[in-house]
Amino acid sequence: MLINMYSKCGLVDNARKVFDGMPQRSIVSWNTMIGSYTKDGQTQQALALFMDMQRDGNSPFNEFTVSNVLCACAIKCNVFECKQLHGFAIKAGMDWYVFVGTALLDVYAKCGLIKEAIKVFECMSERSDVTWSSMVAGFVQNELYEEALLLFRRAQVMRLEINQFMVSAVISACACLAVLIEGKQLHAVMSKTGLGSNLYVVASLIDMYAKCGSIGEAYALFSGIEGKNVVLWNVMISGFAKHAYSMEVMILFEKMQQAGFLPNEFTYVSVLSSCSHLGMVEKGKSYFNLMVKQHGIFPNVLHYSCMVDVLGRAGLIREAYDLIVTMPFDATASMWGSLLASCRNYGNLEFAEIAAKQLFEMEPDNAGNHVLLSNIYAANRKWEEVARTRKLLKDSEARKEKGKSWIEIKDKVHTFMVGERRHPRIAEIYSKLEKLVEDLKDLGYEPRTEHDLHDVGDDVKEELLRHHSEKLAFSFALMCLCSSVPIRIMKNLRICGDCHSFMKIASKFTCREIIVRDVTRFHHFRNGCCSCGDFW
């Protein structure tokens, strides 16, 4: 009990002194000390103590001992030690124990060995609600979101007890897939099971609504919660930042402090991000300084990355570059990628080549960097450099990610690629799109051919732009959704300037709200305007 008390007070060294001074130790003593090291993140000490326990010979281990050590391995993703312990558990006949099996699948999932985790899960003769939660969370951690939803449905069919950890993981899967219908169904499940009062589950729900484009529902849920914690404030501020509602971010930032909560490093990432979305350079610099002077938070890599974005998006390319080379961290691929994207927006070839060179070394398999540099050359009509860059891409192992858009209609997700031909109703979709384009031209829409960077004529460029994936998804939505329902389109790449113009005019012509989530942010199109103010 003394060991446990010191451990829970964060005094692990004192706990070890008590342990070492014991003339006689029980299995509970060993387990408590190993567990203390595990909870404190001291993986090697936990493993070393387990080895001492084996050498001692007088203290037989049990399933709690093995599961504790496995949890220690999960913290540092120690795959080799995990596999050794798995073999040890099999030899000891403990691999079928619930605690051991659950710990095993958890550590395998956290180490990215999801197939091994599934095998352990399926071979277990008995599973607890923690086992199911760990497997669902494992799928989410490995970006297997659909598998997480399927396993959750399997748990529901079996009428298993649903706990807060499982629900939070499944809600995260819905958020990443941007499937609003399933998210709302989970909200209903939470209300029925009484989990709706759990603040961490509610935080997952708010995040889900925000990532599915329903920022109004997210804020309504946030506003109705009493006794908010710092996690809830951060999630809501982050949601507003993703939707480029910068004023709302700043207002909520002030309200958070008025409510007695101090902003932390996560809060400032969202605040700085919102500054970059609206080109608020001075405001961004002010918050960056405030973080250190008022709240004693030293900027980390993410904060510097946000500031590079703030400067770059505002056209201060040289200043953004100077910040990268003078900051106290090694520059990340994200920073160089942000600088390269800013160079594309402002046609800066000098720093584009510097950023691209860094990215080619850091991300040799990322074809997007080659394409971005090629596009900058094309925008400056340097066709020889375009050809050289594209040849370099062709000769490399890098592969370009194909642009796609998807939309959820009647509980089914429909995916479209540029120039899509496989959809069963594709002929109707193209017919609808052709008619729509002609109608929009009467309202002033002109295809912005400068956003197609192929070395071809304007007629061909216009044809290529017309069949972009988000336009196809939008046309299909018009065919299927009633006029009162907002159209939500998800993209895996950044929306191009032509599609952005198209969506603005289309929102006015069709009297529809159109919400497009691209790889960086949300765009809310209403009555011919976009929430981003044409700055993205």
Side-chain angles (χ1 to χ4, degrees):
M1 289 186 73
L2 273 172
I3 293 167
N4 191 41
M5 181 272 292
Y6 278 124
S7 170
K8 287 184 175 176
C9 291
L11 303 171
V12 181
D13 290 341
N14 293 43
R16 183 60 192 259
K17 285 177 184 175
V18 172
F19 177 82
D20 289 339
M22 293 175 73
Q24 202 171 0
R25 304 184 188 104
S26 69
I27 187 170
V28 178
S29 312
W30 287 94
N31 285 350
T32 304
M33 194 63 238
I34 291 171
S36 298
Y37 279 134
T38 300
K39 286 175 186 141
D40 199 50
Q42 299 187 44
T43 305
Q44 293 306 317
Q45 288 85 340
L47 286 167
L49 193 61
F50 177 67
M51 295 300 293
D52 290 342
M53 184 182 186
Q54 298 305 301
R55 294 190 190 100
D56 182 71
N58 295 320
S59 303
F61 61 90
N62 61 14
E63 66 268 28
F64 301 107
T65 319
V66 178
S67 60
N68 263 331
V69 184
L70 281 166
C71 289
C73 292
I75 294 168
K76 299 288 185 182
C77 292
N78 294 336
V79 178
F80 181 67
E81 288 84 349
C82 172
K83 289 186 173 181
Q84 286 183 311
L85 284 164
H86 192 176
F88 179 83
I90 291 170
K91 286 180 181 178
M94 287 187 176
D95 56 312
W96 57 273
Y97 280 80
V98 173
F99 286 104
V100 175
T102 302
L104 268 173
L105 73 88
D106 183 57
V107 70
Y108 276 134
K110 285 176 178 171
C111 293
L113 303 172
I114 194 65
K115 289 183 179 177
E116 285 80 353
I118 294 169
K119 190 178 288 186
V120 171
F121 178 81
E122 296 297 346
C123 289
M124 291 176 70
S125 57
E126 184 183 352
R127 307 181 189 102
S128 67
D129 61 325
V130 178
T131 311
W132 284 85
S133 300
S134 297
M135 194 66 246
V136 171
F139 280 132
V140 174
Q141 288 158 8
N142 287 273
E143 299 182 2
L144 297 169
Y145 307 120
E146 291 181 10
E147 287 80 354
L149 289 174
L150 288 170
L151 188 64
F152 178 70
R153 286 174 186 149
R154 184 174 151 193
Q156 284 182 301
V157 169
M158 295 174 67
R159 298 189 180 280
L160 295 173
E161 183 180 352
I162 307 299
N163 62 32
Q164 65 193 65
F165 306 106
M166 190 186 301
V167 169
S168 293
V170 181
I171 292 171
S172 296
C174 291
C176 294
L177 288 171
V179 285
L180 185 59
I181 293 173
E182 283 81 354
K184 286 185 173 181
Q185 289 172 344
L186 276 167
H187 193 170
V189 169
M190 279 174 43
S191 300
K192 288 179 181 178
T193 56
L195 290 171
S197 59
N198 184 283
L199 293 183
Y200 293 99
V201 174
V202 174
S204 298
L205 258 182
I206 292 169
D207 183 57
M208 181 275 297
Y209 277 122
K211 286 180 177 175
C212 289
S214 297
I215 192 66
E217 291 185 62
Y219 186 64
L221 183 58
F222 171 81
S223 300
I225 299 298
E226 295 183 6
K228 299 177 182 70
N229 60 13
V230 70
V231 174
L232 276 173
W233 284 98
N234 279 345
V235 168
M236 193 63 246
I237 290 171
S238 173
F240 276 137
K242 287 185 180 78
H243 287 260
Y245 287 4
S246 297
M247 292 309 299
E248 286 80 356
V249 167
M250 293 166 195
I251 290 168
L252 213 59
F253 178 72
E254 296 300 328
K255 284 185 175 180
M256 176 185 184
Q257 295 173 80
Q258 289 169 9
F261 293 94
L262 291 177
N264 57 25
E265 62 268 29
F266 303 107
T267 321
Y268 273 105
V269 167
S270 297
V271 172
L272 291 171
S273 174
S274 71
C275 291
S276 75
H277 286 319
L278 285 185
M280 301 167 70
V281 178
E282 293 308 316
K283 201 74 174 173
K285 289 179 178 179
S286 168
Y287 281 123
F288 194 76
N289 293 328
L290 186 71
M291 179 170 57
V292 179
K293 292 178 181 177
Q294 186 168 324
H295 294 116
I297 301 169
F298 291 97
N300 60 30
V301 173
L302 291 176
H303 300 119
Y304 275 99
S305 186
C306 287
M307 282 307 299
V308 169
D309 209 38
V310 168
L311 297 168
R313 283 176 182 271
L316 303 172
I317 308 295
R318 163 68 72 176
E319 199 172 334
Y321 173 75
D322 289 342
L323 182 63
I324 288 175
V325 297
T326 57
M327 67 180 184
F329 307 101
D330 290 332
T332 63
S334 172
M335 290 179 187
W336 289 116
S338 175
L339 185 66
L340 183 59
S342 298
C343 290
R344 176 195 57 191
N345 293 339
Y346 291 95
N348 190 313
L349 274 176
E350 178 190 356
F351 288 103
E353 290 175 336
I354 294 171
K357 182 181 178 183
Q358 296 290 334
L359 287 166
F360 293 161
E361 293 177 3
M362 297 172 78
E363 299 179 329
D365 296 330
N366 187 344
N369 299 323
H370 293 270
V371 173
L372 203 51
L373 181 61
S374 172
N375 289 349
I376 296 170
Y377 283 133
N380 286 272
R381 298 191 175 279
K382 292 185 174 292
W383 301 115
E384 289 184 8
E385 294 297 330
V386 170
R388 184 183 63 80
T389 308
R390 289 180 177 171
K391 185 178 185 303
L392 184 65
L393 172 59
K394 188 176 180 181
D395 294 341
S396 73
E397 295 295 320
R399 291 290 176 266
K400 181 186 176 185
E401 185 178 9
K402 291 184 178 180
K404 63 181 179 181
S405 299
W406 61 97
I407 186 165
E408 187 179 9
I409 295 174
K410 295 179 181 177
D411 211 14
K412 185 178 179 182
V413 176
H414 298 261
T415 303
F416 297 90
M417 311 289 284
V418 60
E420 180 68 40
R421 294 292 174 190
R422 295 182 180 181
H423 194 279
R425 300 181 64 184
I426 196 63
E428 295 176 71
I429 294 169
Y430 275 121
S431 177
K432 180 75 173 178
L433 179 56
E434 296 296 323
K435 176 69 168 62
L436 182 61
V437 169
E438 293 308 313
D439 289 336
L440 295 186
K441 282 183 176 179
D442 293 338
L443 289 177
Y445 167 65
E446 286 292 336
R448 298 176 62 180
T449 53
E450 70 272 18
H451 291 285
D452 186 276
L453 300 172
H454 294 88
D455 188 13
V456 294
D458 282 351
D459 290 346
V460 179
K461 287 185 176 186
E462 185 175 332
E463 189 68 21
L464 292 169
L465 287 169
R466 182 174 297 190
H467 297 157
H468 276 194
S469 60
E470 53 266 58
K471 292 189 179 87
L472 296 172
F474 175 69
S475 300
F476 183 61
L478 288 177
M479 292 162 49
C480 300
L481 295 176
C482 64
S483 58
S484 61
V485 177
I487 294 173
R488 292 181 172 85
I489 300 169
M490 310 296 160
K491 274 186 64 66
N492 67 327
L493 301 177
R494 182 179 180 270
I495 187 172
C496 78
D498 178 68
C499 288
H500 195 269
S501 297
F502 175 91
M503 293 297 175
K504 283 203 303 181
I505 299 174
S507 69
K508 185 174 184 178
F509 175 71
T510 60
C511 300
R512 303 289 291 261
E513 179 185 2
I514 307 166
I515 302 166
V516 178
R517 187 186 85 176
D518 71 7
V519 72
T520 57
R521 68 191 298 175
F522 279 90
H523 298 264
H524 293 255
F525 300 93
R526 296 187 190 93
N527 197 30
C529 299
C530 179
S531 58
C532 74
D534 296 341
F535 186 88
W536 80 100

